[in-house]
Amino acid sequence: YPSNTYDPFWDLSLEVGSGSVLGGLDAFTRAERLSGGRVYKCEKCKQKVQASKQLQIYQCPPILTIHLKRFAFSAQSRGGKLRHAVRFQSSLDLDRFTTHGESQQYELFGVIVHEGSSMRSGHYWSMVKTGPKGPWYRCDDSTVTQVSERQVLEVEAYVLCYRRVSEFHQAPRAAPSNGNGNGTCAKRSPRPNGVSRCSGHAPGPAGAAVFG
């Protein structure tokens, strides 16, 4: 049986290994089968069973902030920079990453870039769009220069800022909330914050974002 949990979120943190934002969202919302040492004890039948866990977006926020995980932490690398090329678009539809499958159109309006080899040092600058049809500008300390959209889409982005297109704006969905945030996270997993079922695939929660 399904067990849903909803959590608020301020941003979505995506792995960079897939090479694209869409690939990162696919990995973020991909269902995961829990078995072996991670087998789940069903709260209903009290038996250890195989269960699936999946994170999905329940309530899409008006401003979507995507953080790309560009710093690695391991015995060999403590905050070293991951220089993977990550493709991103000027427009983004979250429909297939939500629990309700409705079109959620976003447009890119800001990009933050980190220059440097590790999280311990470096320099940050940004690119911002002045309006729906306005030009893009690169803001680097006190220097501001106009740039093309092509130049924006070629940078090594660290944080991407999207705003929901007005004609697709919808009233927030009613959902349980654990606190304040930019959106609402829905978890489906056998853990306290997730959705699970004894067998098969648990239906994903609908909302702003799903974590698990």
Side-chain angles (χ1 to χ4, degrees):
Y1 77 105
S3 173
N4 302 340
T5 297
Y6 302 85
D7 284 344
F9 73 100
W10 289 107
D11 55 59
L12 297 181
S13 294
L14 305 181
E15 302 290 345
V16 299
S18 68
S20 71
V21 166
L22 291 177
L25 286 168
D26 278 329
F28 184 78
T29 57
R30 184 176 300 127
E32 179 184 1
R33 178 70 78 181
L34 301 177
S35 60
R38 305 176 61 196
V39 69
Y40 171 61
K41 184 177 181 179
C42 178
E43 297 176 1
K44 186 175 183 179
C45 66
K46 307 302 180 183
Q47 300 294 319
K48 290 186 177 181
V49 297
Q50 288 190 344
S52 61
K53 176 181 74 171
Q54 185 174 17
L55 309 179
Q56 289 181 302
I57 297 174
Y58 175 82
Q59 180 179 304
C60 293
I63 300 296
L64 175 66
T65 303
I66 295 178
H67 160 244
L68 301 177
K69 297 181 179 180
R70 288 204 171 274
F71 299 108
F73 296 89
S74 66
Q76 294 75 30
S77 175
R78 297 185 179 275
K81 184 78 170 287
L82 300 176
R83 310 304 296 264
H84 299 67
V86 179
R87 298 186 305 278
F88 58 96
Q89 299 77 27
S90 58
S91 61
L92 181 66
D93 193 343
L94 295 182
D95 56 350
R96 76 174 190 261
F97 309 113
T98 67
T99 56
H100 44 284
E102 298 173 0
S103 181
Q104 297 288 335
Q105 297 280 348
Y106 286 81
E107 63 178 6
L108 184 70
F109 75 93
V111 180
I112 297 175
V113 178
H114 172 268
E115 287 185 354
S117 59
S118 76
M119 64 172 295
R120 301 178 185 279
S121 63
H123 174 67
Y124 291 91
W125 51 272
S126 64
M127 289 180 163
V128 295
K129 191 178 183 181
T130 56
K133 297 183 179 180
W136 281 91
Y137 290 93
R138 171 174 170 156
C139 303
D140 189 348
D141 291 337
S142 61
T143 303
V144 178
T145 55
Q146 186 171 337
V147 295
S148 67
E149 184 176 277
R150 179 184 61 81
Q151 290 174 289
V152 173
L153 298 179
E154 291 177 348
V155 300
E156 189 180 273
Y158 179 47
V159 176
L160 302 170
C161 301
Y162 289 86
R163 56 189 163 208
R164 187 163 51 189
V165 179
S166 58
E167 57 264 36
F168 288 90
H169 181 78
Q170 300 176 352
R173 292 172 173 265
S177 176
N178 296 343
N180 297 322
N182 190 30
T184 305
C185 305
K187 304 178 186 180
R188 72 173 182 183
S189 80
R191 298 176 183 177
N193 47 5
V195 179
S196 65
R197 56 176 22 172
C198 290
S199 63
H201 202 67
V210 180
F211 294 88

